DNA sequence: AATGCGGGGCC
DNA sequence: GGCCCAGCATT
């Protein structure tokens, strides 16, 4: 055990750590779990409002378990990584049912829940039950790889094993919860990804990266993400005040969110009246009224660039579009949509 | 072991 | 435009 690192971290935490968050010191495992799921791959500042909304709307795991699924997704709308929401609902039902509302209190049982991996299990186990499991998140990987001057890629199989063992050996087993909170705060406030505060860092005299001027080169990641561009054109087709929508079910982005009638292409489309007419013929075979077309909207995701437009259509006759359902505006407002579609809906539509 | 999954903030 | 964020599930 590297006593120095742990001691100095805990000293920094007591003397200088001013980071405050509503769930800090929280002992209700339900709220801890909720905050951890929301914060997976998500900045604290971004997740904060969602956490407050969820706690207010669903103060207990039972309330969450009994809530209509669409209502939970609507509350999650805009936060991204929507499988988290699906797993949140599934786990709430398991805790409410199998565990009779009592959150499981061992690392293994917590880890077995949907949407909970090694990081989240360690966080809940240590924060709620003071169990000695070290968290390893992006902050911890950065702090450790810098402090020990390790260039082993943090996203490699070997690296994960290595940093996990290291983290466990450094854990303050007397106060695992406080230690885990401290190392993540330290990574977020001092040992930041960009422009870390090395000059005021209490660990700088022992930090190998600082001594060798490697700070800006660590941590090392080996994986490069492939990006692709997609062109998604949405047709808002309305009949008698109702509009066609469907839930996205495919293993793709925005699974479980709703969308309008989609025409997707590998290449951009230069919409003309003729193009639109032909596209619409692939859904319906009745006369229509073109209300207008929006400007081009772009949405950059982590791994995809989405480009598209929105085209508004009304039809007079009663029609059916297989796979889509006709809903009123009031009902549609209760459903969760991707940000891309919400942005499209805010655009003005114009005719040629 | 590799890939896919959102959205936002910072440089 | 690239990187990163209190990661996880799937293949």
């Amino acid at each position: 055990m590297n006593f120095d690192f742990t001691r100095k971290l805990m000293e920094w935490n007591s003397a200088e750590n001013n980071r405050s968050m509503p769930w800090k010191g929280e002992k209700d495992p339900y709220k801890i779990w909720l905050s951890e799921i929301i914060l997976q791959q998500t900045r604290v500042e971004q997740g904060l409002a969602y956490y407050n909304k969820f706690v207010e709307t669903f103060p207990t795991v039972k309330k969450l378990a009994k809530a209509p699924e669409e209502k939970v997704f609507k509350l999650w709308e805009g936060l991204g990584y929507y499988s988290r929401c699906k797993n949140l609902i599934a786990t709430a039902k398991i805790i409410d049912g199998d565990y009779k509302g009592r959150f499981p209190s061992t690392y293994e049982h917590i880890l077995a829940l949907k949407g909970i991996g090694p990081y989240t299990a360690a966080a809940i186990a240590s924060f709620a039950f003071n169990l000695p499991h070290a968290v390893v998140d992006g902050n911890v990987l950065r702090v450790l790889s810098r402090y020990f001057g390790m260039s082993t890629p943090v996203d490699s199989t070997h690296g994960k094993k290595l940093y996990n063992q290291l983290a466990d050996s450094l854990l303050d087993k007397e106060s695992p919860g406080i230690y885990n909170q401290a190392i993540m705060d330290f990574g977020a406030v001092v040992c930041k990804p960009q422009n870390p505060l090395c000059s005021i860092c209490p660990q700088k005299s022992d930090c190998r990266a600082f001594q060798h001027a490697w700070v800006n080169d660590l941590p090392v990641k080996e994986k490069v993400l492939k990006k692709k561009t997609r062109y998604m054109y949405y047709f808002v087709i309305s009949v008698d005040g109702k509009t066609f929508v469907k839930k996205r079910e495919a293993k793709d982005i925005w699974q479980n969110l709703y969308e309008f009638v989609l025409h997707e292409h590998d290449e951009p489309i230069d919409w003309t009246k003729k193009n639109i007419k032909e596209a619409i013929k692939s859904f319906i075979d009745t006369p229509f009224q073109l209300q207008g077309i929006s400007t081009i909207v772009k949405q950059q995701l982590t791994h995809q660039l989405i480009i598209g437009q929105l085209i508004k259509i009304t039809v007079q006759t009663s029609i059916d579009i297989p796979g889509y359902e006709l809903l009123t505006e009031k009902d549609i407002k209760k459903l969760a949509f991707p940000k891309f579609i919400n942005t499209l809906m805010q655009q003005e539509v114009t005719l040629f």
Side-chain angles (χ1 to χ4, degrees):
Chain A
M1 163 156 166
N2 186 316
F3 185 75
D4 255 15
F5 174 84
T6 303
R7 180 175 52 79
K8 286 190 180 177
L9 177 67
M10 296 300 269
E11 283 173 4
W12 170 84
N13 187 56
S14 305
E16 299 180 56
N17 185 7
N18 293 321
R19 203 175 187 216
S20 84
M21 290 166 290
W23 49 84
K24 219 167 175 176
E26 177 63 58
K27 284 301 164 194
D28 181 354
Y30 165 67
K31 291 182 185 170
I32 293 170
W33 164 63
L34 195 53
S35 72
E36 293 302 337
I37 301 301
I38 287 173
L39 291 171
Q40 285 169 4
Q41 289 291 283
T42 304
R43 288 167 192 272
V44 170
E45 310 83 68
Q46 188 188 359
L48 190 55
Y50 286 85
Y51 173 79
N52 289 331
K53 278 196 301 182
F54 268 83
V55 168
E56 188 175 338
T57 310
F58 310 116
T60 64
V61 70
K62 182 177 279 295
K63 296 254 188 181
L64 178 57
K66 300 294 184 194
E69 194 162 314
E70 306 301 355
K71 186 178 175 184
V72 185
F73 270 98
K74 186 63 183 176
L75 218 56
W76 196 275
E77 182 184 49
L79 192 56
Y81 282 170
Y82 297 94
S83 68
R84 289 184 292 171
C85 186
K86 187 174 178 59
N87 289 330
L88 189 80
I89 295 167
T91 290
K93 290 183 194 298
I94 287 170
I95 294 172
D96 183 50
D98 298 1
Y99 290 100
K100 299 180 177 172
R102 300 260 303 172
F103 211 97
S105 57
T106 70
Y107 178 81
E108 287 71 23
H109 282 103
I110 296 169
L111 182 61
L113 297 168
K114 289 179 194 298
I116 295 183
Y119 162 77
T120 306
I124 297 171
S126 64
F127 296 152
F129 305 108
N130 209 38
L131 294 171
H133 295 271
V135 294
V136 180
D137 73 333
N139 290 305
V140 174
L141 292 170
R142 185 172 59 255
V143 170
L144 297 186
S145 76
R146 284 176 177 168
Y147 182 86
F148 293 99
M150 294 161 62
S151 59
T152 307
V154 294
D155 55 353
S156 64
T157 303
H158 176 235
K160 277 174 195 156
K161 202 171 169 183
L162 191 63
Y163 291 104
N164 270 295
Q165 287 177 354
L166 187 54
D168 271 329
S169 75
L170 295 166
L171 179 68
D172 183 338
K173 293 178 179 59
E174 300 292 310
S175 334
I178 293 173
Y179 170 88
N180 279 336
Q181 185 64 59
I183 193 169
M184 289 193 286
D185 286 345
F186 181 77
V189 174
V190 179
C191 198
K192 301 184 291 177
Q194 287 104 23
N195 303 325
L197 307 181
C198 296
S199 60
I200 64 158
C201 177
Q203 309 270 21
K204 68 177 171 187
S205 61
D206 312 304
C207 176
R208 212 143 166 248
F210 180 73
Q211 291 163 357
H212 295 271
W214 295 338
V215 174
N216 291 325
D217 302 316
L218 295 174
V220 172
K221 296 191 178 177
E222 65 179 6
K223 294 188 173 34
V224 285
L225 64 153
K226 275 167 48 180
K227 296 194 173 180
K228 64 171 176 176
T229 301
R230 298 168 73 170
Y231 299 89
M232 302 173 83
Y233 300 98
Y234 279 108
F235 289 78
V236 177
I237 304 175
S238 301
V239 186
D240 198 22
K242 296 181 177 178
T243 304
F244 287 99
V245 297
K246 83 165 182 192
K247 186 190 269 197
R248 288 178 63 86
E249 301 283 9
K251 288 181 180 176
D252 192 4
I253 56 171
W254 306 327
Q255 190 175 13
N256 292 303
L257 271 59
Y258 282 78
E259 66 182 356
F260 299 106
V261 179
L262 170 65
H263 241 205
E264 181 168 356
H265 292 258
D266 295 332
E267 293 176 7
I269 294 179
D270 183 17
W271 290 106
T272 63
K273 226 163 191 167
K274 186 163 173 260
N275 283 345
I276 290 173
K277 200 165 187 172
E278 281 173 15
I280 290 174
K281 273 187 180 171
S282 63
F283 318 125
I284 55 176
D285 192 20
T286 48
F288 64 91
Q289 186 76 37
L290 177 60
Q291 300 299 323
I293 182 166
S294 76
T295 55
I296 296 170
V297 167
K298 296 185 182 184
Q299 166 104 23
Q300 181 68 64
L301 307 183
T302 298
H303 45 288
Q304 295 183 21
L305 174 62
I306 313 296
I307 300 175
Q309 282 172 283
L310 183 140
I311 295 157
K312 276 192 178 166
I313 303 286
T314 52
V315 298
Q316 303 301 327
T317 52
S318 177
I319 57 165
D320 177 57
I321 305 180
Y324 291 84
E325 51 182 331
L326 257 184
L327 296 181
T328 63
E329 190 175 337
K330 187 184 168 191
D331 285 337
I332 290 174
K333 272 188 178 154
K334 297 176 185 168
L335 305 175
F337 285 79
K339 192 201 166 183
F340 178 69
I341 293 179
N342 283 329
T343 303
L344 280 175
M345 291 296 282
Q346 290 168 5
Q347 309 299 307
E348 297 289 327
V349 294
T350 57
L351 293 168
F352 295 98

